[in-house]
Every structure is written in structure tokens, then in C-alpha cells.
Amino acid sequence: MRRPGGDDESGRGLLLLDAVAARWGVTQHHGGKSVWCEWYGDAADSTGGSTPHT
């Protein structure tokens, strides 16, 4: 992850993901990358927040 400057228009995606996800990762492959994450629902979620979502 990089730390974007205040005027940068990109580079915040992984910082945001890191702030809200329970787990996340990146897989590099030919022609790009895949980013995945798991997060826990909030109190209003029907799962009661105990089941990770992918």
C-alpha cells in the first residue's frame, strides 16, 4: 500500500479496504490483479455480524 498525498486523485482504495475489511488480499496474475476481502456485517445485518461476507 502506498500513502497518497493530499492532492492525489488515486491510491486510496487499499487504505479504505484495510480500514473496513476483516481480511483482504491481492493476487497478481498476467494482465492485472484480483483483490478480495471479507467483512463482518453491522448490527442491522441479518447475520448479526457473526458471519464473514466475501
Side-chain angles (χ1 to χ4, degrees), residues 17 21 23-27 34-38 54:
L17 187 60
R23 292 181 349 135
W24 66 273
V26 178
T27 303
S34 297
V35 179
W36 60 269
C37 70
E38 292 180 355
T54 305

Side-chain angles (χ1 to χ4, degrees), residues 28-49:
Q28 299 285 341
H29 51 84
H30 181 70
K33 64 183 172 188
S34 297
V35 179
W36 60 269
C37 70
E38 292 180 355
W39 71 93
Y40 293 98
D42 59 39
D45 189 351
S46 64
T47 64

